[in-house]
Amino acid sequence: MSDTDIIPSSPLRPAPGAGRPRSRYARRLAAGLLAAGMAWPATPAWSGSCGLCARQVVINPSLAACLLRDYEVLATADDDGAIAVDLTDCEQSRGIVEALPSAAASPPEPDLRFLVSRDQLDCLKRTIERPGTVVDPVTTIDLSACE
């Protein structure tokens, strides 16, 4: 292609300015946009290596204590991008129960099983260890802030 390449238009009618040459800047811009468009779908929305990992975890104080107790075992697991956390064997507290709870105000159920990356597991541990972070009945911890 040279500096005087003509921009092709519809075969039925010529485009306005069809006889004008395409500038070098316009060709570079088009090539850059094409390259960016081809690379974009291959880029995951989350920059980590785990596409199935949880973005947030809903946890209560008893499950948080259980997770901290099991942290060493979980942290030494084979890290292929995801660590399966299973808290189903942990003792669960019922939390504070209102006298007449409304359906709209009921807290979400804690997550008993979820996948996290090693970095997310470390971040989750640090977050849980901060005093006052996990409160009764449940707390939602945003793991996207761990990136």
Side-chain angles (χ1 to χ4, degrees), residues 25-141:
Y25 174 74
R27 283 196 316 272
R28 286 185 183 166
L29 179 64
L33 289 173
L34 177 65
M38 290 174 56
W40 182 71
T43 306
W46 179 65
S47 60
S49 61
C50 178
L52 297 175
C53 290
R55 294 191 185 274
Q56 65 182 14
V57 173
V58 179
I59 197 162
N60 64 24
S62 63
L63 292 176
C66 184
L67 182 93
L68 291 176
R69 186 188 68 228
D70 295 345
Y71 172 78
E72 293 301 322
V73 174
L74 293 168
T76 58
D78 185 26
D79 185 17
D80 288 335
I83 297 171
V85 178
D86 186 0
L87 302 176
T88 55
D89 293 336
C90 297
E91 181 181 331
Q92 293 188 49
S93 66
R94 295 290 177 189
I96 300 170
V97 178
E98 298 175 14
L100 295 172
S102 65
S106 64
E109 290 293 318
D111 295 322
L112 299 176
R113 294 181 178 154
F114 51 92
L115 294 174
V116 290
S117 67
R118 176 58 195 261
D119 291 337
Q120 286 179 315
L121 180 65
D122 294 340
C123 180
L124 183 59
K125 178 184 182 283
R126 287 190 309 271
T127 304
I128 290 172
E129 289 176 333
R130 275 186 271 170
T133 299
V134 179
V135 295
D136 225 3
V138 293
T139 300
T140 301
I141 298 174

